[in-house]
Amino acid sequence: MIFITARFRVRPEDADRWPAIVADFTQATRSEPGCLWFDWSRSLDDPTEYVLVEAFRDDDAGAAHVQSEHFQEARRTLPPHLAQTPRIVNVKAPGDDWSELGEMAVSGE
């Protein structure tokens, strides 16, 4: 799978509205057949920072995502809400789902 984590520094005046700003993009991406997950989190330390954790089945699914109409629309509409260019980590990882964190196993599960 292609595993991606991206940090988005949002303009302070848009930080509380960011989930609504990206709602259509998020829903469209989650509907892509090759999307494994596409989840946003807000920093506990910095209310203007959001982290996107996403994964795609393979290179073809990743290519389809960046070529999609909704991705192209996001490239046009999201930057005005950003305080800086997002930072990204993009790696290929084995598997197609999350693995258990054995060091924190829940007994009886």
Side-chain angles (χ1 to χ4, degrees), residues 3-4 6 26 36 42 55 60 66 68-69 77-79 83 88-89 106:
F3 183 81
I4 301 164
T26 299
L36 300 174
R42 194 173 192 178
D60 290 340
V66 298
S68 70
E69 184 177 318
T77 62
L78 297 185
I88 188 170
V89 174
V106 175

Side-chain angles (χ1 to χ4, degrees), residues 17 32 61 72 85 98:
R17 296 183 320 110
E32 293 174 21
Q72 298 307 317
T85 301
W98 294 91

Side-chain angles (χ1 to χ4, degrees), residues 5-103:
T5 304
R7 285 184 153 173
F8 289 75
R9 179 91 52 217
V10 179
R11 292 183 184 276
E13 61 270 23
D14 293 328
D16 288 339
R17 296 183 320 110
W18 186 250
I21 291 168
V22 298
D24 290 342
F25 175 54
T26 299
Q27 184 58 42
T29 301
R30 287 176 176 169
S31 296
E32 293 174 21
C35 179
L36 300 174
W37 58 81
F38 194 85
D39 299 315
W40 293 95
S41 297
R42 194 173 192 178
S43 171
L44 296 175
D45 298 322
D46 181 351
T48 68
E49 182 181 272
Y50 283 84
V51 174
L52 174 61
V53 179
E54 56 187 305
F56 295 91
R57 182 185 60 244
D58 53 27
D59 288 335
D60 290 340
H65 172 62
V66 298
Q67 294 168 7
S68 70
E69 184 177 318
H70 53 272
F71 186 87
Q72 298 307 317
E73 177 72 11
R75 288 183 64 200
R76 290 187 296 274
T77 62
L78 297 185
H81 301 283
L82 299 175
Q84 68 184 58
T85 301
R87 308 291 293 174
I88 188 170
V89 174
N90 181 333
V91 298
K92 289 186 180 180
D96 62 0
D97 203 354
W98 294 91
S99 298
E100 288 187 349
L101 179 59
E103 294 83 359

